[in-house]
Amino acid sequence: DAGVIQSPRHEVTEMGQEVTLRCKPISGHDYLFWYRQTMMRGLELLIYFNNNVPIDDSGMPEDRFSAKMPNASFSTLKIQPSEPRDSAVYFCASRPGGVYNSPLHFGNGTRLTVT
Amino acid sequence: SQKIEQNSEALNIQEGKTATLTCNYTNYSPAYLQWYRQDPGRGPVFLLLIRENEKEKRKERLKVTFDTTLKQSLFHITASQPADSATYLCAPSGSARQLTFGSGTQLTVLP
């Protein structure tokens, strides 16, 4: 199993540009989570999906952020337009359903820098 | 509001000693608590889960305790090694399907 795969690993963009981050969860996992990590705020949950359906997006900072999961093997997080304060490491994580306390499997993140 | 606090300072210890990391939480009653390890440039990796009815859990050199009265979990690494240097995150949780993480404690084991 290749684990959770995120791309790109690094993204540098200018303020105002659209940014799309991608995630491939572990096959068979029913839950997918998007987190953002910064030194100031730590690891924050942005949104999570169950069986491709968004369940809780209360952590999405504002309307500039959107996430989709068109199928069980792919999810995107889009920021449009991007701002310097969006600079952070964005992690995708997945876990199986069934047992509600099963651990999360994280990807290695996308480091986003908005200049 | 719910709050999770971990050791506020980075923790430096000498190789061979026992490292003890603290996780305190307020304003909720988690049914279980998970600990993760994060290395620079990598995503967190799951280490251990302890349930509210378990006072202690062990895995090799790792030991976790869970005191629901004190609202605290302690994470111990015995016979620490430089390879144990990393940031350790706790995540108390109840019935919610999502996990909320503490800010982490950066551990450095000095040779």
Side-chain angles (χ1 to χ4, degrees):
Chain A
D1 191 343
V4 175
I5 299 173
Q6 293 187 245
S7 64
R9 286 283 279 138
H10 303 274
E11 177 80 42
V12 180
T13 191
E14 292 184 347
M15 182 174 64
Q17 296 299 305
E18 177 179 298
V19 176
T20 299
L21 311 182
R22 297 172 174 80
C23 175
K24 176 178 168 57
I26 292 173
S27 177
H29 282 191
D30 296 333
Y31 287 86
L32 183 139
F33 303 80
W34 282 99
Y35 284 87
R36 177 173 68 176
Q37 188 174 43
T38 61
M39 288 293 293
M40 290 296 295
R41 301 174 68 89
L43 200 58
E44 300 176 280
L45 177 66
L46 300 178
I47 185 172
Y48 80 94
F49 296 82
N50 179 212
N51 292 324
N52 313 338
V53 176
I55 303 300
D56 184 353
D57 66 354
S58 59
M60 296 285 260
E62 47 197 273
D63 292 344
R64 298 184 297 106
F65 286 68
S66 62
K68 293 182 179 179
M69 192 165 185
N71 57 63
S73 59
F74 184 65
S75 178
T76 59
L77 178 67
K78 184 177 295 186
I79 309 173
Q80 166 63 15
S82 58
E83 297 183 2
R85 60 191 167 124
D86 302 331
S87 298
V89 181
Y90 291 80
F91 288 102
C92 175
S94 69
R95 69 169 180 83
V99 180
Y100 73 89
N101 59 4
S102 54
L104 296 183
H105 299 254
F106 282 83
N108 283 327
T110 295
R111 179 174 295 277
L112 173 65
T113 303
V114 183
T115 60
Chain B
S1 63
Q2 297 176 346
K3 192 174 181 181
I4 305 167
E5 289 186 344
Q6 298 192 239
N7 298 56
S8 57
E9 300 289 330
L11 185 62
N12 294 336
I13 64 166
Q14 210 66 38
E15 182 176 6
K17 301 293 186 183
T18 296
T20 299
L21 284 63
T22 304
C23 176
N24 295 297
Y25 55 89
T26 54
N27 295 330
Y28 64 134
S29 300
Y32 62 96
L33 190 146
Q34 298 186 17
W35 282 90
Y36 288 74
R37 168 183 173 143
Q38 186 175 21
D39 291 288
R42 309 296 290 266
V45 175
F46 171 76
L47 294 175
L48 278 170
L49 178 149
I50 185 167
R51 293 176 175 80
E52 60 179 338
N53 60 350
E54 298 175 315
K55 297 302 181 188
E56 182 180 296
K57 195 86 168 276
R58 292 177 184 261
K59 179 182 177 182
E60 298 173 353
R61 293 184 296 110
L62 308 180
K63 184 179 85 171
V64 172
T65 62
F66 193 8
D67 189 324
T68 55
T69 301
L70 292 178
K71 295 185 180 297
Q72 180 182 78
S73 175
L74 299 178
F75 179 85
H76 306 273
I77 306 175
T78 59
S80 60
Q81 304 167 1
D84 296 325
S85 299
T87 296
Y88 292 85
L89 303 162
C90 72
S93 186
S95 59
R97 296 301 187 258
Q98 68 271 33
L99 277 184
T100 301
F101 288 84
S103 56
T105 297
Q106 185 175 342
L107 173 67
T108 302
V109 181
L110 304 168

